[in-house]
Amino acid sequence: MATRSQTAAVLLAGALALAACGSGGTQAPAAQSGGKTLVIDTSFDLKTADPGRTYEPTGLIVGKATYETLLTFDGADVTKPVPALAESYELSEDGKVLTLKLKQGATFADGSAITADDVVFSLTRVRDMKGTPSFLLDGVEIAKTDDSTITMTSKNANAALPYILPNPALGILNSDVAKQNGATADAQDKAEQYLNANSAGSGPYLIESFNVSSQVVLKANPKYHGTKPAYDKVVIRNVEAATQKLNVQRGDSQVALNLSGDQVANMPATLQVDKTASANVIFLLANQDSAVSKTTPNAKFVEAVRKGVDYAGLLELAGEGSTQAPGVIPSQLLGALPADQAVKRDVEGAKAALAASGLSNPTVKLEYPTELTVNGLSFQPLAERVQANLKEVGITVDLQPAPVTTALDNYRNGKEEMGLWYWGPDYPDPNDYLAFLPGQTVGKRAGWQAGAAKEIEAAGEKAATAIGDEARKEAYFDVQTKLNASGPFIPLIQPSQNIVTAASVTGLEYHPVWTVDVADLGAK
């Protein structure tokens, strides 16, 4: 998509949130009421509560609680979208038209009925306001067929659309209320200030107070048409990781979202620790542009790197809950390669590949951002481990750490000889990973231009237009198998997402889009 150049910045912002220092220890105490209050500590990456503008991790938590979408996912399972405000959906045989039937009886927080007009306005607003999430609906026409039917039409087959619709950025607004407060379906929209202080949705929670730097307080929606949430109030606080650990241990909070593997080690038995592979894939890239490097475009050099990395050693660094990434698509998503297809270290094979490359004792520069962490994991120890691994093969790696803005510029502009980066899903569909192909967003960052690998590009075109789960799964298996054989990317690991909760909290499941659905959390 044309706007996908924003993606790295979006993902970077999400990762920086994990490393950010909040004003830990200085937050206002949790508001108390007659009912149950849940306190969640996280490192804020938050700009707005306007669903049409939000794309930051903390904003998606808030958006999921305060707005509903046409489709959603069942718990942590992102392999199949399920009905939400739509009671059913159907994709045409050519994959171009998605038809959704609206659920009857659903109401906004003010008690008014949710209509097809509200849906058309809300989705058109996201697309045409040109905010960060606008690219989700690029090229999609939204129309009301009748009072309970919506059609979404794409120019090309778009089997990813049902997987995109659950994103909280596509939450449905009460269009009458929004328009009264400055909402328009174009770039002139002025509703953000209102939506930062008021909820115009139908979600299980309403905004009580909203501060992008300190805390957000949500209160239960008394007119929610679904199952009433267990907590009357949810306080989401901006707290640095070290303080998150202290708070959850002493009972000042019930959920800590941003702890590293080291921080969750030896937690008291009274706390619950959920360790699961995140949907972030950390990878190496070898630049294919001969103007950038005379070494890394050599296919045998890339093979030597792929075989020379000690993946098991990287998992040790990443800690329990992390997993090796067999391909660029993370394990949670449709089309992820099976674990048994992951590359295994083969030092002798790596040395043989290097010998076949014709390169003698090559030296390469490996760039990565210094202050960036992903799921609490720093890039520095990973880079050092890769450097040591490849030294055994006969490749000298010159580490080039840089401030994140510098590193990001070089990465985006395709100037890194080798790079160590990560990719998280914009939406949980394998279509999002075609960005790694020649001429696409990440492909170009590796100096891999369109036409550079026609067989892989053809496989990508087939995958993009495939319809049906089985056909799509096989198509994306094929793309990744070909990428692993001759592409410039080496998928490394999916670091662990560690969430600590009090014993009283039930129902927590890590979600790769909105991290946690606060309305799903129970209390005992």
Side-chain angles (χ1 to χ4, degrees):
M1 298 177 182
T3 54
R4 289 298 303 281
S5 58
Q6 302 172 25
T7 300
V10 171
L11 296 175
L12 172 65
L16 283 172
L18 301 176
C21 290
S23 47
T26 62
Q27 279 69 34
Q32 296 298 321
S33 69
K36 290 179 178 172
T37 297
L38 178 73
V39 180
I40 299 173
D41 283 350
T42 187
S43 297
F44 271 23
D45 186 359
L46 179 64
K47 291 182 179 176
T48 180
D50 180 344
R53 289 181 168 87
T54 196
Y55 207 68
E56 294 71 38
T58 313
L60 295 177
I61 297 173
V62 174
K64 177 63 179 169
T66 51
Y67 291 87
E68 291 181 294
T69 48
L70 292 173
L71 303 178
T72 188
F73 293 107
D74 186 6
D77 181 3
V78 294
T79 61
K80 186 162 184 61
V82 297
L85 286 178
E87 65 177 16
S88 66
Y89 66 98
E90 183 178 0
L91 189 65
S92 61
E93 285 188 13
D94 64 4
K96 295 180 179 179
V97 181
L98 182 67
T99 303
L100 303 110
K101 289 284 185 183
L102 295 184
K103 182 190 295 181
Q104 299 304 299
T107 57
F108 288 113
D110 66 358
S112 61
I114 298 170
T115 69
D117 293 324
D118 293 311
V119 173
V120 172
F121 175 81
S122 299
L123 299 183
T124 304
R125 177 176 180 263
V126 175
R127 186 194 65 198
D128 295 348
M129 197 165 55
K130 300 306 176 192
T132 306
S134 294
F135 78 93
L136 294 171
L137 295 177
D138 268 356
V140 178
E141 293 300 323
I142 304 129
K144 166 185 166 182
T145 305
D146 58 43
D147 287 345
S148 63
T149 310
I150 301 293
T151 57
M152 302 183 72
T153 305
S154 306
K155 290 178 183 174
N156 302 310
N158 192 359
L161 191 53
Y163 295 81
I164 293 172
L165 285 176
N167 193 299
L170 304 182
I172 304 305
L173 289 162
N174 183 327
S175 59
D176 289 341
V177 171
K179 288 174 184 175
Q180 288 164 16
N181 291 279
T184 57
D186 57 30
Q188 307 309 309
D189 182 272
K190 300 280 193 301
E192 183 177 14
Q193 185 175 352
Y194 174 80
L195 295 173
N196 278 344
N198 303 274
S199 300
S202 61
Y205 285 97
L206 308 173
I207 291 173
E208 181 171 294
S209 65
F210 182 85
N211 186 298
V212 294
S213 60
S214 59
Q215 75 174 22
V216 176
V217 180
L218 307 175
K219 60 183 179 182
N221 174 4
K223 294 185 178 177
Y224 182 53
H225 58 92
T227 304
K228 181 177 168 59
Y231 294 93
D232 296 334
K233 192 161 292 200
V234 177
V235 182
I236 305 169
R237 306 188 299 189
N238 185 19
V239 182
E240 63 180 355
T243 309
Q244 287 184 37
K245 180 179 178 180
L246 289 174
N247 286 349
V248 75
Q249 284 180 321
R250 62 193 178 200
D252 289 349
S253 67
Q254 288 76 51
V255 182
L257 291 181
N258 301 115
L259 301 186
S260 68
D262 288 343
Q263 287 173 315
V264 299
N266 304 313
M267 277 285 177
T270 51
L271 296 173
Q272 303 173 97
V273 182
D274 182 69
K275 299 178 186 175
T276 183
S278 71
N280 296 316
V281 173
I282 296 177
F283 63 90
L284 289 168
L285 69 84
N287 203 303
Q288 299 300 290
D289 184 351
S290 58
V292 173
S293 175
K294 302 300 182 193
T295 303
T296 53
N298 188 309
K300 284 293 180 181
F301 170 82
V302 180
E303 181 185 336
V305 173
R306 195 184 312 280
K307 291 179 175 176
V309 171
D310 178 8
Y311 301 93
L314 295 180
L315 287 178
E316 285 177 15
L317 280 177
E320 196 176 333
S322 58
T323 188
Q324 186 178 345
V328 293
I329 298 174
S331 56
Q332 296 92 338
L333 273 57
L334 177 80
L337 284 174
D340 62 9
Q341 290 197 30
V343 177
K344 293 181 173 57
R345 192 180 198 208
D346 175 8
V347 175
E348 292 310 309
K351 288 179 178 177
L354 187 61
S357 74
L359 299 166
S360 178
N361 301 313
T363 297
V364 290
K365 293 177 179 177
L366 176 62
E367 295 188 40
Y368 54 93
T370 46
E371 70 271 41
L372 181 59
T373 64
V374 181
N375 303 105
L377 185 63
S378 168
F379 280 75
Q380 182 69 31
L382 293 175
E384 290 170 353
R385 186 66 62 95
V386 168
Q387 180 188 47
N389 293 165
L390 297 185
K391 186 176 182 180
E392 293 178 50
V393 173
I395 299 169
T396 299
V397 177
D398 179 9
L399 299 185
Q400 299 275 310
V404 71
T405 50
T406 305
L408 186 59
D409 278 346
N410 284 345
Y411 169 55
R412 279 183 176 157
N413 295 321
K415 300 300 184 187
E416 295 180 330
E417 185 172 30
M418 289 190 71
L420 180 64
W421 288 93
Y422 88 107
W423 185 268
D426 293 304
Y427 47 89
D429 186 86
N431 173 280
D432 196 39
Y433 292 80
L434 296 176
F436 283 83
L437 269 55
Q440 303 304 315
T441 303
V442 191
K444 287 192 287 190
R445 291 170 185 171
W448 211 25
Q449 301 302 332
K454 289 192 166 56
E455 189 181 355
I456 293 178
E457 290 167 77
E461 288 172 14
K462 182 179 177 182
T465 55
I467 304 296
D469 286 356
E470 279 309 308
R472 301 187 77 220
K473 186 193 299 182
E474 291 304 318
Y476 284 100
F477 279 3
D478 185 46
V479 168
Q480 290 173 96
T481 301
K482 286 179 166 63
L483 269 176
N484 284 350
S486 58
F489 302 104
I490 295 131
L492 301 174
I493 59 171
Q494 292 173 232
S496 178
Q497 173 77 39
N498 307 295
I499 300 178
V500 178
T501 59
S504 60
V505 177
T506 62
L508 184 136
E509 292 185 85
Y510 160 71
H511 198 281
V513 178
W514 47 75
T515 311
V516 59
D517 183 348
V518 296
D520 273 354
L521 300 183
K524 63 179 180 183

